[in-house]
């Protein structure tokens, strides 16, 4: 068993960069830093044609690094780019529809669950994971306390894994891990200074290896 098999793992959210080649290079360099479970590729403000170009550049790089590529946006783009899965930001109905159409061929998860009631509604669709927070919600150094609390509640009761959005400080990953969440999502914490992205991923993994609680311990 590797050090990452029984503790909270990293999920990356790719930065909003207009140039597809530059974006792919930055993400590829970051992934050299160590273990990353999956990478979420948001559509941001791109039209579908531009998003297709970005996804086709990013997906193979993510997969070659051993991570799952999850597209948040147009489902047709996800299929054409041969992504591993879909990140659904909608409600229970959107999640149920995505599960019906794409599971188990693709990983399907997400949901912007702002409270316990909506989390349980989304959970009824039995997604592969549930996401607490917003993909661009890391506006403060620390992880949002509400999301951490939801992750702690969820992981103590429900078998479906959860991802909790971390903060802009890489150290926020440990706070999320201590909640019992299976995954912590980082965005600005990794990509604010792209030249240091790989080093930050290595540092966060070392921190989680040393201090994150072990599942089943």
């Amino acid at each position: 068993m590797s050090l990452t098999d029984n503790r909270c793992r990293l999920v990356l959210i790719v930065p909003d960069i207009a140039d597809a080649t530059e974006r792919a290079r930055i993400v590829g360099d970051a992934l050299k830093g160590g273990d990353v479970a999956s990478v979420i590729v948001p559509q941001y403000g791109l039209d579908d044609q531009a998003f297709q170009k970005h996804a086709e550049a990013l997906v193979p790089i993510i997969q070659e690094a051993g991570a799952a590529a999850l597209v948040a946006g147009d489902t047709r783009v996800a299929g054409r780019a041969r992504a591993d899965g879909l990140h659904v930001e909608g409600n229970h109905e959107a999640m149920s529809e995505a599960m019906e159409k794409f599971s188990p061929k693709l990983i399907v998860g997400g949901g912007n669950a702002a409270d316990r009631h909506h989390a349980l509604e989304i959970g009824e669709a039995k997604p592969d994971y549930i996401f607490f927070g917003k993909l661009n919600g890391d506006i403060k150094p620390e992880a949002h306390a509400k999301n951490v609390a939801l992750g702690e509640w969820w992981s103590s009761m429900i078998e479906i894994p959860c991802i909790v959005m971390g903060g802009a400080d890489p150290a926020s990953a440990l706070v999320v891990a201590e909640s019992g969440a299976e995954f912590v999502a980082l965005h600005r914490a990794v990509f604010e200074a792209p030249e240091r992205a790989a080093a930050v991923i290595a540092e966060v993994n070392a921190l989680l290896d040393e201090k994150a609680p072990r599942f089943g311990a």
Side-chain angles (χ1 to χ4, degrees), residues 24 42 91 132 165 186:
N91 56 15
F132 292 113
M165 187 69 217
L186 295 181

Side-chain angles (χ1 to χ4, degrees), residues 16-37:
D16 185 4
I17 297 172
D19 184 271
T21 302
E22 177 71 359
R23 195 185 195 194
R25 182 191 65 78
I26 287 171
V27 172
D29 287 348
L31 288 167
K32 296 173 184 175
D35 179 68
V36 172

Side-chain angles (χ1 to χ4, degrees), residues 153-189:
W153 160 76
W154 181 270
S155 60
S156 70
M157 292 180 50
I158 311 293
E159 290 186 3
I160 297 168
C162 71
I163 304 173
V164 174
M165 187 69 217
D169 183 342
S172 64
L174 181 58
V175 176
V176 172
E178 289 170 343
S179 76
E182 288 85 357
F183 301 96
V184 54
L186 295 181
H187 174 214
R188 288 180 176 86

